[in-house]
Amino acid sequence: MTLHLTQARANRLANRRLLGAVATLPDAEFHAPRTSFFPSLARTLNHVLNVDHYYIAALHGDVTMRSIWASYVPATTALELAARQDESDERLVAFCAALQPGDDERIVAFDRGAGIEAGPREPLGRVLAHLFMHQTHHRGQAHAMLAGTAVKPPQLDDFILLGDGVHRTEDMAALGWTEPV
């Protein structure tokens, strides 16, 4: 399994575990003001999903990425958000599973508002690294916000090391995944 696929699967598992915990909150708690850059769980986690949609569109060469970003409609419940994040994460896992040697250097073009021709261009490997870092960064913020509720924040870093496999058995089974050999 490649590093990018390992990261995409770990991302999928961490989002699933975090959003599973968040989904047990009443809707009012999901939307309640909290201390963070995006001052609620709802706003933080919707931001993550919107950014995912934009970057995944760019990774696929979808020139409508800017309109995908601009037309995003926030999920109003944690259950809705979890389902939509699952779909996005599965798309990212599939993308990473299809990568071939040398794809890390393939150039990804972005539209930041002035058209794709004027936008930045980055190597695919760096784009994926940035996307995974963005996810981790905001999951950490959501994790901290969740600590201010009655729901215990779940462990989110059991998804990469083979020795931690015992801690993710149920998560892996729920997705029909097995450990790499």
Side-chain angles (χ1 to χ4, degrees):
M1 184 179 316
T2 67
L3 177 59
H4 295 314
L5 181 55
T6 298
Q7 291 175 305
R9 286 174 58 138
N11 181 70
R12 168 78 169 96
L13 291 164
N15 281 337
R16 182 180 181 279
R17 195 179 277 183
L18 177 63
L19 290 168
V22 170
T24 66
L25 291 170
D27 288 342
E29 284 287 301
F30 178 56
H31 291 278
R34 303 193 187 279
T35 301
S36 190
F37 185 79
F38 298 99
S40 74
L41 284 161
R43 289 181 62 191
T44 298
L45 295 170
N46 271 293
H47 167 74
V48 168
L49 183 57
N50 194 14
V51 168
D52 280 3
H53 287 171
Y54 174 81
Y55 274 87
I56 292 169
L59 288 165
H60 282 277
D62 186 342
V63 297
T64 66
M65 67 189 82
R66 185 74 182 158
S67 66
I68 289 170
W69 165 266
S71 65
Y72 180 80
V73 175
T76 58
T77 69
L79 284 173
E80 176 193 356
L81 181 71
R84 289 169 59 186
Q85 186 68 60
D86 284 349
E87 291 174 12
S88 180
D89 289 346
E90 285 297 329
R91 189 168 181 220
L92 184 58
V93 168
F95 178 85
C96 290
L99 290 174
Q100 299 296 312
D103 281 348
D104 270 5
E105 299 308 315
R106 188 176 66 199
I107 298 301
V108 177
F110 291 92
D111 180 354
R112 298 275 196 224
I116 202 158
E117 300 80 20
R121 286 160 168 52
E122 296 285 346
L124 183 143
R126 288 180 178 258
V127 173
L128 285 171
H130 174 76
L131 183 56
F132 294 132
M133 184 177 290
H134 181 265
Q135 279 266 351
T136 301
H137 169 71
H138 287 298
R139 260 196 314 268
Q141 291 175 336
H143 195 265
M145 286 188 267
L146 190 58
T149 73
V151 176
K152 180 182 177 191
Q155 188 69 29
L156 298 178
D157 62 354
D158 292 333
F159 303 119
I160 294 180
L161 297 177
L162 294 174
D164 287 335
V166 67
H167 302 294
R168 61 178 172 262
T169 304
E170 290 178 31
D171 300 280
M172 298 281 286
L175 296 174
W177 291 355
T178 59
E179 293 290 347
V181 283

